[in-house]
């Protein structure tokens, strides 16, 4: 991506090099003003009024200085956009995890969570793996098994009741998942093994 961005910037700078000084300055002001307007629309109320500052731009006196300023401004824009995209991804995954944590006792499916956070299931699955460090089904199992451990420690509920309470209808399947995740059966866990 950075190679493509660099190539696009170099192509843009070559295009501007053919322009007069006034056209060069006006073109860059229009470009970065447009970026500022787009940024302001996307971040209404965020407190920041501009993405690119022209404070030192108008004091530049030669093309090389203008090109250096432009390259730095483009790098700053790119980094900010990447940072915001990462922040948005983390926020979406946190919302998805909260949804799972609030609903794991029911029939939670990736498609339900994806709908809740307005993403496609395929994209959510990829983001979940990247941002949460586990795939969706592993996270769901982890939530259920953690709750089962709590219930085994803190209640006298029968194991089949706990199985149902954490979202499983098949006790044998529950036992298998529990043993795989915790290293012992639910009964052994309850009795302090």
């Amino acid at each position: 991506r950075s190679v493509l961005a660099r190539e696009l910037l170099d192509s843009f700078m070559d295009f501007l090099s053919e322009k007069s000084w006034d056209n060069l300055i006006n073109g860059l002001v229009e470009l970065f003003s447009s970026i500022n307007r787009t940024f302001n629309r996307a971040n209404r109320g965020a407190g920041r009024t501009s993405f690119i500052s022209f404070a030192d731009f108008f004091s530049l006196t030669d093309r090389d200085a203008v090109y250096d300023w432009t390259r730095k401004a483009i790098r700053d824009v790119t980094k900010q956009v990447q940072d915001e995209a990462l922040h948005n991804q983390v926020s979406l995954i946190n919302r998805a995890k909260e949804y799972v944590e609030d609903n794991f006792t029911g029939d939670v499916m990736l498609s339900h969570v994806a709908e809740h956070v307005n993403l496609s299931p395929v994209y959510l699955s990829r983001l979940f793996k990247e941002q949460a460090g586990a795939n969706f089904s592993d996270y769901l199992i982890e939530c259920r098994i953690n709750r089962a451990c709590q219930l085994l420690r803190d209640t006298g509920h029968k194991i089949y009741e706990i199985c149902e309470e954490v979202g499983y209808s098949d006790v044998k399947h529950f036992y298998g998942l529990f043993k795989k995740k915790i290293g012992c059966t639910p009964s052994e866990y309850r009795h302090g093994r």
Side-chain angles (χ1 to χ4, degrees):
R1 289 183 197 166
S2 62
V3 171
L4 177 60
R6 222 175 298 122
E7 287 175 3
L8 287 171
L9 177 61
D10 289 343
S11 173
F12 180 69
M13 298 308 278
D14 288 343
F15 168 76
L16 289 179
S17 71
E18 300 167 4
K19 304 297 177 189
S20 70
W21 179 257
D22 288 342
N23 286 342
L24 170 68
I25 298 303
N26 291 337
L28 289 173
V29 167
E30 182 55 37
L31 170 69
F32 289 108
S33 294
S34 177
I35 290 171
N36 280 339
R37 283 190 302 275
T38 302
F39 174 78
N40 288 337
R41 275 194 305 271
N43 294 294
R44 272 180 249 117
R48 191 168 170 192
T49 57
S50 68
F51 202 58
I52 300 295
S53 170
F54 290 101
D56 56 348
F57 179 76
F58 293 108
S59 66
L60 302 174
T61 58
D62 64 73
R63 286 183 186 270
D64 288 339
V66 169
Y67 295 163
D68 289 343
W69 183 92
T70 302
R71 283 186 180 88
K72 182 187 178 313
I74 293 291
R75 276 193 308 273
D76 292 347
V77 167
T78 303
K79 180 168 180 359
Q80 183 68 29
V81 167
Q82 289 171 337
D83 290 348
E84 286 185 17
L86 180 60
H87 173 73
N88 289 340
Q89 289 174 352
V90 169
S91 177
L92 285 169
I93 292 306
N94 286 339
R95 284 181 40 220
K97 288 167 82 173
E98 286 174 11
Y99 182 86
V100 171
E101 291 162 7
D102 291 343
N103 296 285
F104 69 83
T105 60
D107 187 24
V108 178
M109 299 167 88
L110 179 64
S111 59
H112 300 151
V113 181
E115 185 176 323
H116 178 73
V117 296
N118 298 316
L119 294 176
S120 75
V122 171
Y123 185 61
L124 176 61
S125 179
R126 184 174 66 80
L127 268 184
F128 215 92
K129 181 75 172 170
E130 289 173 5
Q131 300 296 325
N135 65 38
F136 171 78
S137 60
D138 287 341
Y139 188 76
L140 176 59
I141 291 167
E142 181 181 321
C143 288
R144 288 175 167 173
I145 297 300
N146 287 344
R147 177 69 174 144
C149 288
Q150 179 188 7
L151 292 170
L152 287 165
R153 282 190 315 267
D154 300 341
T155 72
H157 297 175
K158 297 188 182 321
I159 291 174
Y160 74 87
E161 293 172 328
I162 291 173
C163 171
E164 290 176 1
E165 199 169 326
V166 298
Y168 293 109
S169 57
D170 181 347
V171 175
K172 186 176 179 181
H173 180 66
F174 170 68
Y175 263 81
L177 288 172
F178 192 94
K179 185 162 186 169
K180 183 178 178 184
K181 289 287 184 186
I182 304 300
C184 62
T185 68
S187 300
E188 292 169 337
Y189 183 85
R190 172 171 269 165
H191 298 300
R193 178 188 170 258

